[in-house]
Amino acid sequence: MIENKIKDILKNKIKDSKIFIQDMNGNQDHFSVIVISSEFENLSMINQHKLIYNALGDMVTKEIHALQIKTFTWEKWKKEN
C-alpha cells in the first residue's frame, strides 16, 4: 500500500517524527500528510515542506499526484492539539 510506503520513507528520512497520512480521493494518488518532528525547529514552513518533498523524491511526480502537507514541531503540535 502506497500510504505505508510514504509513511516508512518519511519516518526513515525525518528523525523524531510522527506521521499521519490520509488518502484524499480513494485512488491512492492524492494524499494529506501531517508530519511532526523536532527537525522542523528553526526552519521556515517552506524549508519544512522541502524536507518532505526531498524525502519522497520522484514519488511526488510518479506515484503521488497531489500532496497536502502540514508540518509541526513537537512544541507547536502540543499547543494546537
Side-chain angles (χ1 to χ4, degrees), residues 15-69:
K15 298 173 190 149
D16 184 37
S17 63
K18 175 76 174 170
I19 292 110
F20 299 96
I21 185 164
Q22 182 180 2
D23 182 351
M24 298 300 288
N25 68 353
N27 293 329
Q28 296 286 296
D29 62 356
H30 289 68
F31 297 95
S32 173
V33 294
I34 297 171
V35 182
I36 310 156
S37 175
S38 57
E39 264 195 63
F40 299 141
E41 295 285 339
N42 302 314
L43 292 179
S44 68
M45 187 184 303
I46 290 171
N47 287 330
Q48 292 174 17
H49 289 203
K50 280 183 183 180
L51 283 177
I52 306 296
Y53 282 114
N54 289 339
L56 294 173
D58 287 347
M59 281 186 73
V60 176
T61 56
K62 293 182 179 177
E63 297 175 70
I64 302 169
H65 297 143
L67 185 64
Q68 177 187 43
I69 300 172

